[in-house]
Amino acid sequence: MNTKIIQKKSIFKNLTFQILIAMILGMLIGIFVHNNYSEDTAKEFSTYIKLLATIFIRLVQMIIAPLVFTTLVVGIAKLGDIKSVGRIGGKALGWFFTASFISLLIGMFWVNVLQPGVGLSLSGVDVSTAAEVTEKTQNFSAQNFIEHIIPKSIVEAMATNEILQIVIFSIFFGLAAASIGDYSKPVINALDKTSHIILKMVNYVMNFAPIGVFGAIAGVFAVRDLGDLLITYAKFFGSFMVGITTLWLVLLLVGFIFLKSKMKTLLNHIISPLIIAFGTTSSEAVFPKLTEELERFGIKDRIVSFMLPLGYSFNLDGSMMYMTFASIFIAQAYDIPLDTGTQFTMLLVLMLTSKGIAGVPRASLVVVAATCGMFKIPVEGIALILPIDHFCDMFRSATNVLGNALATSVVGKWEKDS
C-alpha cells in the first residue's frame, strides 16, 4: 500500500508528467476562452497568460550566457590543446553540415512531391502581417551576417544572448588558458565551480517549466481557431508533417546505428527537454536542461560543453527542413517555376545563411524571406504561412533539440572509442 502511494507521488513530481498536464490544461482553457468570449477579450487574455511563458523563457535566457561561457572555457581547457579542439571541432562541423544538408534535402523532396502550394488561392491574404519579418529581412546582408557571428564586445554578446558570438570568444579564451598551463588553473577551477552553481540554478528554473508551457499553449489556443486553421492549411501542414516525420525517422535511425541500445536511454533522458521545446516553441529554452541530461546520460562534460553551444548555432535540423519547404511552397503559391539547379542553389544559400542565427526571433522566417528575395520570389509570401507557423514551430523546436542531443551523443561516443 505504502509502495503504491510512493509511486503515485513520484509520478506527480515527474517534470515530464507535469508538463504534459500543463499542455492539456492550457489547451482546454485556451479553447474555452476562444469559444466563450469576444475576440478582444480573448486577445487580452492571451497577452496576459503568455506572460507566464515569457517569465519562464527569460529565466532560462538569464542562465544561458554564463552557462555557455563557463562550461565551454572549462571544456576546452580540459581538452588540453589545439589539436584536441580541432579534432572534436572537425567531427562536430562534419556532422552538423551533413545533418543540415540532409534536412534541407528532405524539405526540398517533399515540397516537390506533395506540391502544397500549387493551386493555392491568394485572395484574402493580409500581406501586412508579414511586415515585421520583411523589415528584418531588409537588414539581412553579408555584412550583417558576419557582424552577427564575430563579437565586437563579449559584454554585448552576453547581454543579447548571441550564442555563436559567446562561443567564439569562449574558444579563444579556453585555448589561451590551455596554452598557459598550470598558471591558469585557479581561473579554470573558479569557472568550473561557477558552472556547477549555474547548473544548480537550472533545477530551480525548471520548476517553472510547466507554468511556462501552460501560458504558451493557453495563449495560442485563446486567439487561434485550430479547426479552421487546419482546414485552411491542411495541405501545407499535412505536407510539413510528412517532412518532419521523415526527418525524425532518419535521425532516430542514425541514432540507433551509432548508439545502438543506448539510443533508448538517450530518449528517456531528453523526453522532458523535447516536450518543453515543443510547448514553448523555443529550443533555446531547454539548453541548460539538455546540458544536464546529456551529462547524466554519460557524455563527458567537456564534450557536452563544447558540442551543444556549437550545435545551437550550426545544427538546427528542424528549422533547416522547414526553410527549403517554406521557400519552395511560396514559389509554388505564386506559380514561379524553379528548376532543379535553382532549387539546389537555394539549398546551398540556405545552408550558409542559416548558420549563426540561433536566438533571433522568428529566425527561420527571416531567412526564408531573405532567400525568397534573392530568387525573385515575393517576400510578402511569408504572410501565407504566418497563421500556421506557430504550430509548425512547435515541431521544428523539438526536432532541433533531438538533432543536437544526437550529435553531442555520437561525437561523445566517438571520442570515448578513440
Side-chain angles (χ1 to χ4, degrees):
M1 185 72 178
N2 290 337
T3 310
K4 286 183 180 177
I5 291 168
I6 290 166
Q7 284 177 340
K8 282 183 181 177
K9 280 184 180 177
S10 66
I11 290 171
F12 285 109
K13 284 182 179 177
N14 183 278
L15 183 64
T16 305
F17 179 77
Q18 290 173 359
I19 293 165
L20 287 170
I21 294 296
M23 286 179 73
I24 294 165
L25 286 174
M27 197 182 301
L28 292 173
I29 289 172
I31 291 168
F32 176 80
V33 170
H34 181 79
N35 292 335
N36 292 279
Y37 292 90
S38 66
E39 188 178 333
D40 290 339
T41 305
K43 280 183 180 176
E44 191 176 0
F45 169 82
S46 176
T47 302
Y48 286 113
I49 201 74
K50 277 184 178 178
L51 288 175
L52 296 174
T54 304
I55 290 167
F56 169 66
I57 291 171
R58 287 179 78 92
L59 283 170
V60 174
Q61 289 172 332
M62 169 183 77
I63 295 170
I64 288 174
L67 181 65
V68 170
F69 175 69
T70 55
T71 55
L72 188 50
V73 168
V74 172
I76 290 171
K78 284 181 179 177
L79 289 175
D81 55 29
I82 293 175
K83 194 186 239 183
S84 298
V85 174
R87 185 184 70 247
I88 298 170
K91 288 175 182 177
L93 291 177
W95 179 282
F96 294 158
F97 279 95
T98 304
S100 294
F101 188 70
I102 291 168
S103 302
L104 288 163
L105 270 180
I106 289 171
M108 191 175 100
F109 173 79
W110 283 116
V111 77
N112 279 293
V113 169
L114 301 172
Q115 299 192 324
V118 174
L120 189 73
S121 172
L122 297 177
S123 60
V125 175
D126 183 8
V127 294
S128 65
T129 56
E132 181 192 347
V133 176
T134 53
E135 281 169 16
K136 289 177 186 173
T137 306
Q138 290 166 7
N139 300 321
F140 197 92
S141 63
Q143 182 181 340
N144 287 334
F145 176 66
I146 296 300
E147 287 174 358
H148 187 78
I149 291 173
I150 309 296
K152 64 178 179 182
S153 163
I154 184 58
V155 177
E156 183 187 50
M158 285 189 164
T160 53
N161 265 343
E162 293 282 0
I163 292 179
L164 187 54
Q165 293 184 8
I166 298 168
V167 166
I168 287 171
F169 178 85
S170 301
I171 288 171
F172 277 99
F173 192 99
L175 288 172
S179 68
I180 292 171
D182 290 345
Y183 191 74
S184 66
K185 271 189 177 178
V187 176
I188 299 304
N189 288 336
L191 289 175
D192 194 14
K193 288 180 174 67
T194 305
S195 70
H196 283 93
I197 293 168
I198 295 166
L199 284 170
K200 186 65 180 174
M201 287 173 67
V202 171
N203 292 326
Y204 300 147
V205 171
M206 281 302 133
N207 290 328
F208 291 90
I211 298 169
V213 170
F214 169 78
I217 297 288
V220 170
F221 279 87
V223 293
R224 301 274 175 92
D225 191 323
L226 184 60
D228 288 350
L229 267 179
L230 290 183
I231 291 168
T232 307
Y233 288 92
K235 199 174 180 186
F236 174 82
F237 190 68
S239 302
F240 166 76
M241 286 306 298
V242 169
I244 211 78
T245 302
T246 304
L247 180 53
W248 267 72
L249 290 172
V250 169
L251 288 172
L252 291 172
L253 179 63
V254 169
F256 278 108
I257 289 170
F258 283 102
L259 301 175
K260 300 182 172 60
S261 60
K262 284 189 175 180
M263 185 63 191
K264 288 181 181 177
T265 311
L266 175 64
L267 290 173
N268 286 332
H269 275 279
I270 66 169
I271 187 80
S272 179
L274 283 172
I275 295 171
I276 295 170
F278 182 83
T280 59
T281 66
S282 172
S283 48
E284 192 182 54
V286 299
F287 181 95
K289 180 69 175 171
L290 193 58
T291 301
E292 194 176 50
E293 290 297 339
L294 288 172
E295 287 181 9
R296 282 182 184 169
F297 173 62
I299 308 299
K300 289 180 181 175
D301 56 354
R302 63 189 177 91
I303 303 293
V304 175
S305 60
F306 186 76
M307 285 290 299
L308 263 194
L310 282 178
Y312 268 72
S313 299
F314 291 102
N315 191 46
L316 302 172
D317 298 333
S319 298
M320 300 299 286
M321 177 262 153
Y322 184 74
M323 286 175 197
T324 39
F325 186 89
S327 302
I328 298 170
F329 166 80
I330 293 168
Q332 289 174 354
Y334 282 94
D335 199 22
I336 297 170
L338 297 173
D339 58 44
T340 306
T342 304
Q343 289 192 29
F344 270 101
T345 306
M346 181 184 281
L347 186 147
L348 293 173
V349 167
L350 285 166
M351 172 82 86
L352 295 172
T353 55
S354 62
K355 302 307 175 193
I357 54 163
V360 178
R362 298 207 169 197
S364 299
L365 291 178
V366 173
V367 174
V368 168
T371 306
C372 285
M374 289 179 203
F375 289 87
K376 304 293 183 281
I377 301 165
V379 175
E380 298 76 24
I382 287 291
L384 290 167
I385 57 177
L386 273 177
I388 198 76
D389 182 69
H390 182 92
F391 298 100
C392 295
D393 203 7
M394 292 170 122
F395 292 93
R396 292 201 303 263
S397 300
T399 308
N400 292 341
V401 171
L402 175 67
N404 279 320
L406 189 59
T408 305
S409 300
V410 172
V411 172
K413 182 182 182 299
W414 286 342
E415 281 300 301
K416 194 182 286 186
D417 293 344
S418 61

